[in-house]
Amino acid sequence: QVQLVESGGDLVQPGGSLRLSCAASGISLDRYSIGWFRQAPGKEREAVSCLRRFDGRARYLNSVEDRFTSARGNAKNTVYLQMNSLKPEDTAVYYCAAHNAEECEESSASYWGQGTQVTVSS
């Protein structure tokens, strides 16, 4: 059985940092592009980043460029999203997804995690 489990969400003050983890069982994340998505209350889910499986490059939502970094961990089967200089508008439930494709379109996601809450507030 395949599972993706996100962790690391928390309440943090503006300007703070968090590192989200996406740990997989049942699949090897090396074979998938990994997307991070978020959904804020009352808003559509949006793509935050895509870590491509073959060339290893990452693309980011414009509003998080230079603040967020997605990377594969040294620990097997874990991908991280390092989030720095957090803003209140980053508040959302964050999801990771494994895509059997080079890009991270929602429609191409093979597996989803359950989400982790990130709240940025003073």
Side-chain angles (χ1 to χ4, degrees):
Q1 183 179 359
V2 176
Q3 272 194 313
L4 297 184
V5 179
E6 302 96 335
S7 61
D10 205 344
L11 169 64
V12 63
Q13 292 188 345
S17 297
L18 284 174
R19 188 177 77 162
L20 305 184
S21 300
C22 174
S25 58
I27 58 170
S28 174
L29 289 184
D30 287 350
R31 299 183 179 184
Y32 293 82
S33 296
I34 305 302
W36 285 95
F37 298 81
R38 68 186 181 187
Q39 188 165 23
K43 294 189 176 181
E44 297 282 322
R45 185 159 57 190
E46 63 180 352
V48 174
S49 71
C50 179
L51 182 59
R52 295 154 57 110
R53 62 180 174 175
F54 291 139
D55 63 17
R57 294 183 176 182
R59 295 189 297 107
Y60 300 93
L61 181 68
N62 284 345
S63 62
V64 308
E65 189 91 50
D66 299 327
R67 298 189 298 121
F68 289 12
T69 303
S70 180
R72 298 183 191 274
N74 291 329
K76 278 192 173 183
N77 259 357
T78 302
V79 173
Y80 300 102
L81 182 68
Q82 178 68 42
M83 306 188 297
N84 299 327
S85 303
L86 283 161
K87 303 176 181 181
E89 52 263 42
D90 295 319
T91 295
V93 178
Y94 283 71
Y95 302 87
C96 66
H99 303 259
N100 190 16
E102 196 61 11
E103 300 299 338
C104 302
E105 302 293 332
E106 285 199 43
S107 59
S108 73
S110 298
Y111 307 103
W112 287 91
Q114 83 291 348
T116 186
Q117 176 70 48
V118 172
T119 303
V120 185
S121 175
S122 54

